[in-house]
Amino acid sequence: MGFNLAEGTAPTVESLWRQYRDQFPVTKELIYLNHAAVSPLSKPAADAMQRLTDDVHRFGSLHYDEWVDAYEGLRVAAARLIGADRSEIAVVKNTSEGIATIALGLDWRPGDRMVAFTEEFPANFFPWKRLEAKRVAVDWLSIHDPIGVIERACHGARLLAISYVQYLSGFRANLSAIGRACRKHGCFFFVDAIQGLGALPLNVRETGIDGLAADGHKWMTGPEGCGILFVRKEWQDRIYPMEFGWTNVVAYNDYASRDMALRPDAGRYECGTLNTVGCYGLRAAIEFLLEVGVDRIGHAVLSLTDQLVEGATRKGYQLLGERTPENASGIVCIQKPGLDSRTVVRRLKEAKILAAPRQGWIRMSPHFYVSPDEIDRVVDALP
């Protein structure tokens, strides 16, 4: 997608963080720049989870119908977030489970070929290496390859898998262009969206995405252990649920039934009891983001990271990769010759600034509720 700061009209970054800062109590403790790892829970998410745990503590399963409503509410909210239909959303425990569902569920045949990328996080790398070991040919490309190279690789390939945003460099893929290439050649387009979803707009219809997975604990400001899997409706009969339990089937509420007919929607990929408290939290987190507006959030996130890059480079830090309005995201990786990244991160932590050391780099990932003044303080704290 081509989202950048120049597109559309957005409120000032200051007005957005001022409006919603009280929804993130972490701001009283830290300058939090580690959303690419684990986000603090937003207040709506924490409150929803607290209500559920208090209710179960007092009443057990008396209000079970409300749990079911929460599962459905999560599917509906997730569908709104990515421009899908709720029938295309399954609740999964994490991104890896979503990716594995796609990787194992397709009917791979000897001689099949797919496209993957060398810079990916292990969750979107290892499953395809395992397929490669089972005689599925994998064309390993770089995320920096021109779209023409990617399109040629799609010709005759069954699947292409890429991250919306790369976990280390923060490089944001041009999903629209890749989606067009995949559609042209009938290639299943899969996206690991965990490092962008909640921070930047994403629409599966506009980009032609066929499958998508993301956990809620990063940019969606929800809990760990609860995520979403999107599978486009027309693909669901061609991706079989390899993990099978009592809730994959139509008659899952009839415990005496032995009918194994699959549910007629993405619920067929839900195997057994769901993470109920996680569903409460993630539903509330996504509904909160929808209230704020992901377009507005995206403008704020890009503005804050632009400010961070400008300040850090002014102090002699190098940026990992070339940042442009087209490929920028909420992730910034920097380093300075002669300084150990772990030492810098430790010093920042002592100043109550949370970043992460990653492969010799200092990774910073602010969300929209971080203030511009705090970014200035971070730059000042850099040695």
Side-chain angles (χ1 to χ4, degrees):
M1 297 178 72
F3 177 83
N4 61 60
L5 280 172
E7 293 180 352
T9 302
T12 64
V13 172
E14 182 174 343
S15 67
L16 197 61
W17 74 259
R18 285 189 186 278
Q19 186 175 358
Y20 293 103
R21 191 172 175 82
D22 63 346
Q23 300 302 302
F24 294 91
V26 69
T27 55
K28 298 176 182 178
E29 310 294 337
L30 298 165
I31 298 177
Y32 202 90
L33 305 181
N34 203 22
H35 297 86
V38 178
S39 172
L41 288 172
S42 62
K43 190 173 185 299
D47 288 349
M49 296 169 74
Q50 184 67 57
R51 286 194 301 272
L52 185 275
T53 55
D54 286 347
D55 184 76
V56 177
H57 180 60
R58 295 175 61 197
F59 298 105
S61 64
L62 178 64
H63 302 129
Y64 185 84
D65 288 349
E66 296 177 11
W67 305 4
V68 175
D69 290 342
Y71 307 151
E72 181 61 13
L74 173 54
R75 298 184 193 103
V76 171
R80 287 180 58 204
L81 184 65
I82 65 173
D85 186 86
R86 55 81 46 214
S87 67
E88 298 172 312
I89 301 293
V91 179
V92 292
K93 64 178 179 282
N94 50 45
T95 311
S96 293
E97 183 179 44
I99 296 172
T101 298
I102 302 297
L104 298 175
L106 281 168
D107 181 23
W108 296 99
R109 299 178 294 272
D112 280 345
R113 188 170 59 81
M114 65 162 290
V115 182
F117 295 82
T118 58
E119 297 90 346
E120 292 286 343
F121 188 75
N124 201 27
F125 182 87
F126 291 152
W128 317 121
K129 290 297 289 185
R130 288 195 69 189
L131 284 178
E132 188 176 37
K134 296 181 179 181
R135 296 185 299 172
V136 173
V138 181
D139 284 353
W140 291 101
L141 303 183
S142 168
I143 56 171
H144 302 293
D145 283 334
I147 188 62
V149 172
I150 295 174
E151 180 172 340
R152 285 193 293 275
C154 288
H155 180 70
R158 289 195 67 187
L159 180 145
L160 179 146
I162 193 169
S163 288
Y164 182 20
V165 172
Q166 290 296 319
Y167 78 101
L168 183 62
S169 67
F171 179 88
R172 173 162 50 102
N174 187 337
L175 298 183
S176 295
I178 297 172
R180 285 192 294 271
C182 288
R183 287 196 301 276
K184 179 178 179 180
H185 297 289
C187 178
F188 185 96
F189 182 23
F190 176 80
V191 173
D192 174 349
I194 194 171
Q195 289 293 7
L197 195 58
L200 299 164
L202 189 156
N203 186 294
V204 295
R205 298 285 182 251
E206 294 175 1
T207 53
I209 293 172
D210 298 303
L212 173 151
D215 203 327
H217 70 271
K218 296 186 188 292
W219 299 94
M220 286 190 277
T221 72
E224 289 194 297
C226 190
I228 62 168
L229 169 66
F230 159 78
V231 181
R232 190 178 291 274
K233 184 67 175 178
E234 51 265 39
W235 278 95
Q236 290 175 12
D237 285 339
R238 289 177 278 177
I239 298 174
Y240 191 79
M242 298 303 293
E243 190 178 40
F244 212 94
W246 67 280
T247 57
N248 299 83
V249 300
V250 174
Y252 66 91
N253 280 322
D254 180 359
Y255 307 148
S257 173
R258 296 299 181 259
D259 184 355
M260 294 182 64
L262 294 172
R263 287 160 67 172
D265 56 21
R268 64 180 59 193
Y269 304 114
E270 296 175 1
C271 175
T273 301
L274 298 175
N275 174 5
T276 302
V277 69
C279 289
Y280 268 74
L282 186 52
R283 174 191 181 180
I286 294 176
E287 289 176 345
F288 169 64
L289 296 177
L290 291 169
E291 173 192 322
V292 178
V294 180
D295 283 344
R296 302 170 73 203
I297 291 172
H299 280 277
V301 167
L302 293 183
S303 179
L304 291 167
T305 46
D306 281 348
Q307 179 186 350
L308 186 56
V309 169
E310 181 182 357
T313 54
R314 192 170 61 243
K315 293 191 71 169
Y317 283 79
Q318 301 170 348
L319 178 67
L320 176 59
E322 181 184 1
R323 181 180 171 95
T324 69
E326 290 73 33
N327 70 25
S329 73
I331 295 176
V332 169
C333 265
I334 58 173
Q335 65 176 201
K336 192 173 185 177
L339 290 180
D340 183 272
S341 63
R342 294 166 297 181
T343 300
V344 176
V345 169
R346 186 166 59 250
R347 289 183 182 178
L348 291 174
K349 187 176 181 181
E350 291 170 356
K352 295 190 174 182
I353 299 168
L354 198 65
R358 289 292 185 270
Q359 294 161 238
W361 296 83
I362 304 155
R363 190 179 70 180
M364 299 182 175
S365 47
H367 219 322
F368 73 101
Y369 63 86
V370 175
S371 74
D373 286 346
E374 287 175 317
I375 297 297
D376 286 340
R377 288 167 54 193
V378 171
V379 173
D380 289 343
L382 287 172

